[in-house]
Amino acid sequence: MTAQNLVTSLVDEGTWQSWDTAPGYVALDVDYAAALGRARRRTGVDESVLTGVGEFSGTPIVLVVSEFGFLGGSIGRAAGERVVAAVRRATRERLPVLALPASGGTRMQEGTAAFLQMASIAEAVESHRRAGLPYLVYLRNPTTGGVFASWGSMGHITWAEPHALIGFLGPRVYEGLHHKPFPDGVQMSENLAAQGIVDAIVPVAELAERVGRVVELLAEPDDSTDTASSTTTYSSSPAQPNSSLSESSGGTPWDRVRATRAPGRPGLRDLLGADTAMIHDVGPIVLALSRFGQTTAVVIGQDRSVQAEGRLIGPADLRVARRGLAAATELRLPVVTVIDTPGAELSVAAEEGGLAREIALCLADLVAVPRPTVSVLLGEGAGGAALALFPADRRLAADDAWLSPLPPEGASVIVHRDTAHAPELAAAQGIAATDLAAQGEIDQVVHWRLDVAADVRTDIGHALAGLAPDRARRVRHSADRGGHRILAVGAIIRDDRERFLLVQRLRDPQAGRWTVPGGKVDPVDAVGPNGIRDDADVLVAEVIREIAEETGIDVAVRAQAWVVEIPDGKGGIFEIHDFVAVPVGGTLRAADDAADAGWFTIEEMRGLPLTDGLIEHLTAGGFVD
């Protein structure tokens, strides 16, 4: 297909505007001038590249399109300057770029001067990317040499034409230099997709739809429909137990390991909804753009179905994940990772390919993402392949998911030299999601079934909408954090006589002192009777439950007051979210973790042994004059 026909097939009818000006040449020899003339007459274009802007479903996108019929699509000085000018103009006008190369590389008639154009083009593309603007690539047949090694390999997303010849060294050059043909299949687009170099094989007829979907997801949403930030009405009725939760997450840790390995268990692809554009869809690591609520995120997920067929995560797959992290950083998008893996590939090829290094670099890249990150431990979480996608600002986990340095069988081999002790090791290592939540390593435990996938997506959207990036939060065992964190809730409750409801603590921290009622958040209670709740709902439901259990008083929650941190005396930290609430019923009684309970005026409170900083917090919050 010619460049002009390709443009016509892609852009909305009547929207194409060429940006090209007449090319200029320096000191052409007779033969080269004649070749240029023949190329113009044969193709009807004046150079090997066409540039301009057209609309895809109403969205303007800049195109840089090679004409292979013009001297093999080769890049000389004039063509290179045309590409640079188009990319720089796209950057100034804040427009995405779609590059569609089909080229043999550098124009040999111009030698080194043409060769150096690749550096100029690469610099322009890199500046465009640094500006937070999409640079998309569609590799056509053939794309080789310096074009492939510069602007053909710099896409945030790289698609390729089916059965396209793509490679650095053209096969004719290889055969001429080495006197033997290049191995079949190596430089085919399908092989490059399998190696993680190309994201997807896309027929030309499907390209416009793919591009349009991507730019639609990258566009800013209408804030007026932001469901993630909408007002929530809280019920004053305590949440009832979820009977289905005990069925799925009950039993031993080994039972949970077995549950995550069950054939037919829903996975990553079931979590991704219709509001998704697949980017890299070949192999055990999937990249996608997906909208959660009103927030578009880069999704980097592990596909359990591919791994179940024996295609485990290797170094090339982790490089795909890192490419997704780099794209999210440059496009200024949040990241959602989905973890579901029996472990990385264990082979000579994986070792020689730098598996350990890629795990380390993936971890470092994820921790450094400048936008909010959410990780979802959806099922199996074995070894470094799982850890590589785990550190995040907010961590969710299925109630039967698990995370461990090795599969329990591997741990059993190390400790007992057999696999028979795997159930014992699963329990001893504290691998279950609920155990990790109790230690502060998981923020929310969710119930995972196919019929609640939409609820989990909503939950992710709420988490993203309320997050700020926090490197310290992503690495929770660093020395400056003083150990694991324990999530807890409390409430400031006043009656119509301006008295505060207080309880006397029965246990540490600060046993015997009076404070506002509350307690630890049970990770299992993150799932309510109607499925997954957002974070605010979880905390509010826990407040209502804790107050009723400790004091016998039913309350309605009005707002969140503050967050305080108190050492637990065992090297950990209680992270206490205190809310403002009002009594709506019940009878006062001390129960659960309370030695006593009562209503007190502020004057009476000053004579009590109070927990550290309570009066100061009440004063700062405007509850005490």
Side-chain angles (χ1 to χ4, degrees), residues 364-563:
D365 290 350
L366 179 56
V367 170
V369 170
R371 289 295 189 269
T373 57
V374 171
S375 60
V376 183
L377 181 59
L378 204 59
E380 295 182 272
L387 183 64
L389 298 185
F390 184 68
D393 297 311
R394 179 89 177 148
R395 301 172 185 171
L396 282 65
D399 48 16
D400 57 357
W402 53 277
L403 180 70
S404 70
L406 283 174
E409 297 91 337
S412 179
V413 168
I414 290 176
V415 177
H416 298 287
R417 299 184 182 275
D418 61 39
T419 60
H421 293 79
E424 175 186 326
L425 266 294
Q429 290 188 318
I431 68 175
T434 47
D435 293 333
L436 295 169
Q439 298 165 14
E441 296 298 338
I442 296 291
D443 298 304
Q444 186 175 351
V445 178
V446 300
H447 194 20
W448 174 237
R449 298 190 315 263
L450 185 59
D451 60 348
V452 298
D455 297 320
V456 177
R457 287 182 57 82
T458 299
D459 198 66
I460 294 170
H462 281 287
L464 287 170
L467 273 182
D470 182 352
R471 290 196 186 193
R473 182 73 176 154
R474 295 171 186 176
V475 187
R476 305 187 185 186
H477 275 301
S478 57
D480 61 341
R481 299 190 71 253
H484 65 270
R485 304 179 82 79
I486 305 162
L487 187 63
V489 293
I492 299 96
I493 305 165
R494 284 190 295 185
D495 63 9
D496 54 7
R497 296 166 59 185
E498 297 297 312
R499 297 180 303 174
F500 290 88
L501 178 60
L502 301 182
V503 296
Q504 188 178 33
R505 295 193 59 82
L506 183 63
R507 301 182 179 90
D508 284 330
Q510 303 188 50
R513 298 194 186 190
W514 290 82
T515 190
V516 297
K520 291 192 295 184
V521 173
D522 186 339
V524 174
D525 289 330
V527 181
N530 298 316
I532 309 303
R533 299 191 300 261
D534 67 27
D535 186 50
D537 284 334
V538 172
L539 296 178
V540 167
E542 288 295 287
V543 168
I544 294 169
R545 180 184 62 79
E546 282 288 341
I547 303 310
E549 289 181 357
E550 277 199 324
T551 69
I553 299 297
D554 297 328
V555 299
V557 175
R558 298 305 190 204
Q560 185 162 6
W562 52 65
V563 179

Side-chain angles (χ1 to χ4, degrees), residues 542-615:
E542 288 295 287
V543 168
I544 294 169
R545 180 184 62 79
E546 282 288 341
I547 303 310
E549 289 181 357
E550 277 199 324
T551 69
I553 299 297
D554 297 328
V555 299
V557 175
R558 298 305 190 204
Q560 185 162 6
W562 52 65
V563 179
V564 297
E565 296 184 350
I566 300 174
D568 70 348
K570 302 176 183 178
I573 298 290
F574 278 102
E575 180 183 301
I576 305 173
H577 294 249
D578 282 328
F579 289 78
V580 179
V582 295
V584 294
T587 302
L588 181 64
R589 57 178 174 77
D592 196 41
D593 288 339
D596 198 359
W599 294 96
F600 300 93
T601 65
I602 189 62
E603 290 76 16
E604 292 169 333
M605 287 173 59
R606 296 185 192 279
L608 296 174
L610 302 175
T611 54
D612 296 338
L614 179 59
I615 292 291

Side-chain angles (χ1 to χ4, degrees), residues 256-267 270 304-305 308-309 340 380:
R256 301 184 188 196
V257 171
R258 295 176 63 188
T260 60
R261 295 172 175 174
R265 177 184 173 89
D270 301 295
R304 71 187 313 271
S305 62
E309 295 172 355
D340 196 353
E380 295 182 272

Side-chain angles (χ1 to χ4, degrees), residues 17 49 132 142 148 170 189 244 298 304 335 393 449 468 489 557 577 607 613 621:
Q17 300 175 41
V49 175
F148 182 47
S189 54
S244 63
V298 173
R304 71 187 313 271
V335 171
D393 297 311
R449 298 190 315 263
V489 293
V557 175
H577 294 249

Side-chain angles (χ1 to χ4, degrees), residues 199-328:
D199 289 313
I201 305 300
V202 180
V204 172
E206 300 175 11
L207 182 60
E209 181 182 357
R210 288 265 188 147
V211 173
R213 189 75 185 106
V214 166
V215 295
E216 177 190 351
L217 284 168
L218 291 176
E220 291 294 330
D222 181 359
D223 291 339
S224 65
T225 60
D226 188 350
T227 57
S229 61
S230 59
T231 302
T232 303
T233 301
Y234 300 122
S235 169
S236 61
S237 302
Q240 299 301 312
N242 186 344
S243 59
S244 63
L245 176 61
S246 59
E247 295 170 7
S248 67
S249 64
T252 67
W254 180 243
D255 292 331
R256 301 184 188 196
V257 171
R258 295 176 63 188
T260 60
R261 295 172 175 174
R265 177 184 173 89
L268 167 68
R269 294 179 185 274
D270 301 295
L271 179 62
L272 295 176
D275 220 1
T276 297
M278 301 302 289
I279 298 174
H280 182 86
D281 196 15
V282 180
I285 293 287
V286 170
L287 300 184
L289 287 173
S290 193
R291 187 165 287 162
F292 300 90
Q294 293 300 305
T295 303
T296 294
V298 173
V299 177
I300 305 170
Q302 297 167 341
D303 188 341
R304 71 187 313 271
S305 62
V306 172
Q307 295 171 90
E309 295 172 355
R311 174 69 166 84
L312 299 180
I313 294 170
D317 305 304
L318 291 168
R319 285 191 284 272
V320 170
R322 292 180 58 211
R323 194 166 73 243
L325 294 170

Side-chain angles (χ1 to χ4, degrees), residues 325-389:
L325 294 170
T329 296
E330 291 186 353
L331 294 173
R332 300 163 190 175
L333 294 174
V335 171
V336 174
T337 65
V338 180
I339 302 152
D340 196 353
T341 179
E345 176 187 347
L346 303 178
S347 68
V348 173
E351 293 290 348
E352 293 179 343
L355 177 63
R357 173 179 170 80
E358 291 302 328
I359 290 172
L361 292 175
C362 197
L363 276 168
D365 290 350
L366 179 56
V367 170
V369 170
R371 289 295 189 269
T373 57
V374 171
S375 60
V376 183
L377 181 59
L378 204 59
E380 295 182 272
L387 183 64
L389 298 185

